[in-house]
Amino acid sequence: MKLLINLAILFLCCIGVSGQTYRKEICVGFRVNSSEIALDYGDNASNLAEIVGLLTDVQRNPNMEITGVSFCGSASPEGKSLQNKQLVVDRCASLEHYIRQRVDLPDSVVFKSDKTDVWQKLAIYVERTDMPHKDDVLYQIRQTPEYTYNAKGTLVDSRKKRLMDMNFGRTWNYMLREFFPSIRNASILMVYIKQKQKETKQTEIPQEVKTPIQSVDTIPQEISPEETQPMPAAKSSRYFALKTNMLYDALAIPNIGVEVSLGRRWSLAADWMYAWWSNNNKHRYWRVYGGGLSARKWFGHASEQKPLQGHHIGINAQILTYDFEFGGKGYMAGEPEGSLWNRLNYAFGAEYGYSMPIAERLNIDFSLVAGYMGGRYYKYIPIDGHYVWQSTHNRHWWGPTKIEVTLVWLLGNNNYNVKKGGNK
């Protein structure tokens, strides 16, 4: 459909519709807190391919000229004000960088704007739906000041706070899920094209090009494969977290983990545990140490709002050694007095989990790994200060290999959860 529209524009210009200006606009999506253009996000690949193809076709046509290309960034209102302003600038720059690396545009036809009214955009989306408390939401957007200060200059109220408090956060959560991705991800590119007039100089760029419109509507289009190669990002965000499995903590096994977002809803997690408790008088030992690695793919609405939250699946691998002794019987992983490698047991499997916010800097992650555990272990009996070997066994276990109820501490200036209604 979009391809037909582009061809129609080119045809109208070619048949002699003199002096007419045609405007084309697209939207490019951005993930939360990111100014990186991701071709695998939403309709980015097809939208960008369309606009590059249109600009290229116009430049090759001797009867047409480009009179203006306007770039505009946008950020949704759930973030902090200063961070959003920087995101607007960075997203605008990323879009311009992507297009101008593929199409040679003179500076004289390029315009940029960072004055997008995100609240007006939100009001447009609300008006188009039958969402709960629609009238109350529109009233707060249009009548409540964005910020309210007392006589001492202290912030006492805001439009955002009232919306987040509405209906115990459910209204804000609805808008966060249904509207904010389109607002946050809207970076508008407008192209002005006109037919060249014979024996006259190029007319001045219309005044309207200097003020990008705020519409974020797009039209479906065909994908041009040659234009879908990734471009280096102007700026990317990385998310980190420290973790501890509270089930291990409850069993007196101290442990720590770290996880980092790799982009495109992938993350890599690593953890380590170490416990070396003993009571020689009662012959009780609780000794275990080892660690694991997990590669995770995140999905679902929550993961669209911010990395490291929502549903995730992945693969997990672990190594560990242990020495447990209770009730006069002991179980030791690997060969007694052997090297570390002789004592290791191992496990690998598939995992599923869900991570949810519980505080501004804290998430809780529920995960289950199921697969195979193997290795050798020994049974022994402590007698007169010695440990008498009884039997050797090879472990072949299929089933759950790891259970996690993990407390996750989010690190970084931009890596936090918004209270009462959503995540930035």
Side-chain angles (χ1 to χ4, degrees), residues 40 253 359 391:
D40 63 342
I253 305 176
S391 58

Side-chain angles (χ1 to χ4, degrees), residues 380-399:
Y380 64 88
I381 298 175
I383 299 176
D384 298 329
H386 299 280
Y387 304 100
V388 181
W389 167 78
Q390 297 294 300
S391 58
T392 303
H393 302 267
N394 289 316
R395 186 183 302 281
H396 298 287
W397 163 262
W398 290 93

Side-chain angles (χ1 to χ4, degrees), residues 8-39:
I9 291 175
L10 300 179
F11 174 74
L12 287 173
C13 288
C14 290
I15 62 176
V17 188
S18 177
Q20 296 296 319
T21 298
Y22 298 91
R23 185 173 63 196
K24 182 67 179 175
E25 55 185 278
I26 66 167
C27 291
V28 176
F30 291 95
R31 292 187 172 94
V32 180
N33 270 349
S34 174
S35 60
E36 175 182 357
I37 290 183
L39 295 181

Side-chain angles (χ1 to χ4, degrees), residues 20 90 182 312 341 357:
Q20 296 296 319
D90 292 340
S182 298
H312 60 83
W341 300 112

